[in-house]
Amino acid sequence: DAKTTQPNSMESNEEEPVHLPCNHSTISGTDYIHWYRQLPSQGPEYVIHGLTSNVNNRMASLAIAEDRKSSTLILHRATLRDAAVYYCILKTGANNLFFGTGTRLTVIP
Amino acid sequence: DSGVTQTPKHLITATGQRVTLRCSPRSGDLSVYWYQQSLDQGLQFLIQYYNGEERAKGNILERFSAQQFPDLHSELNLSSLELGDSALYFCASSVQGGQGEAFFGQGTRLTVV
């Protein structure tokens, strides 16, 4: 399975934007980039996914580099509820989600 | 609420015992996945079923088995339990197992003593 690299942890002030980076230099043409997050004591939660173009939804935006070797999850205004571990995952077709270690986001009030 | 229901929420059992974890997927979802999350291993994919058939296997021990029933609910059976099997077990479901999002349950916390 293609590998992703994320920082172990990041901090953000409440109500400020957060940019969570992910490197995936071995991504293949058929890999989609998925982001999930896991809040404390909960199961993982889907955030967003994309292939080549930038994507927006009610939770976040996903910016994908032109060469697709990296991507950035953008939370436009961090809230305390956004404190979680964020996972960047490459997924091909019906293959499963293989979770790495993710980035632990701390939101400072 | 993801729509995926896992029971029980907590389970405490002794080494050597056998337990069954149950998962009811979201209505209409054909794919069910099982994951194990322990402190030192992170989220590990165990197994996937699609419409009653096993589709993919991950790091699932031979002591563990699963099945998906005609009503699409799934059970994960863990036998000859060891202390190291203590973990959170998550079930997820998705419509077809493609690029769509997967919905995770709240997990079953298994403690083996």
Side-chain angles (χ1 to χ4, degrees):
Chain A
D1 306 296
K3 189 175 168 59
T4 63
T5 305
Q6 300 178 251
N8 286 335
S9 62
M10 289 184 66
E11 284 187 354
S12 173
N13 292 320
E14 195 177 9
E15 298 189 5
E16 288 188 358
V18 183
H19 291 234
L20 297 165
C22 180
N23 288 321
H24 28 78
S25 57
T26 59
I27 191 170
S28 73
T30 54
D31 284 335
Y32 279 72
I33 302 157
H34 285 244
W35 283 83
Y36 280 73
R37 70 180 185 180
Q38 188 173 19
L39 279 65
S41 304
Q42 295 193 25
E45 174 187 33
Y46 169 83
V47 178
I48 202 166
H49 78 279
L51 182 62
T52 55
S53 305
N54 295 344
V55 185
N56 299 295
N57 67 19
R58 63 175 179 81
M59 288 181 70
S61 296
L62 176 59
I64 301 173
E66 202 169 324
D67 63 5
R68 300 209 326 125
K69 292 183 187 288
S70 65
S71 61
T72 302
L73 179 70
I74 302 164
L75 308 179
H76 296 286
R77 277 179 79 244
T79 69
L80 296 178
R81 196 196 170 276
D82 292 322
V85 178
Y86 287 77
Y87 297 96
C88 169
I89 303 163
L90 300 183
K91 190 172 186 290
T92 299
N95 288 350
N96 300 291
L97 296 167
F98 289 92
F99 289 80
T101 53
T103 297
R104 183 174 298 278
L105 176 66
T106 300
V107 180
I108 302 166
Chain B
D1 181 8
S2 67
V4 177
T5 304
Q6 290 187 246
T7 56
K9 286 189 169 42
H10 302 276
L11 197 48
I12 301 175
T13 190
T15 54
Q17 295 299 304
R18 172 189 168 95
V19 297
T20 297
L21 312 184
R22 182 187 168 102
C23 171
S24 294
R26 285 191 330 148
S27 176
D29 284 358
L30 300 178
S31 254
V32 169
Y33 313 77
W34 286 97
Y35 287 82
Q36 178 192 56
Q37 186 172 36
S38 55
L39 281 174
D40 58 347
Q41 291 290 323
L43 271 159
Q44 299 287 315
F45 166 68
L46 295 179
I47 197 164
Q48 179 200 0
Y49 280 83
Y50 177 77
N51 203 21
E53 301 285 328
E54 181 184 303
R55 171 166 277 191
K57 250 182 180 177
N59 301 320
I60 187 165
L61 300 172
E62 284 191 12
R63 300 183 285 108
F64 295 0
S65 64
Q67 54 184 327
Q68 186 180 27
F69 295 87
D71 67 354
L72 300 178
H73 91 271
S74 178
E75 292 181 355
L76 179 67
N77 300 296
L78 315 175
S79 61
S80 302
L81 285 167
E82 302 175 358
L83 296 178
D85 297 327
S86 296
L88 265 169
Y89 291 84
F90 288 105
C91 167
S93 73
S94 66
V95 173
Q96 290 184 332
Q99 288 299 339
E101 62 185 285
F103 295 84
F104 283 77
Q106 292 294 307
T108 293
R109 182 174 293 282
L110 173 66
T111 303
V112 182
V113 297

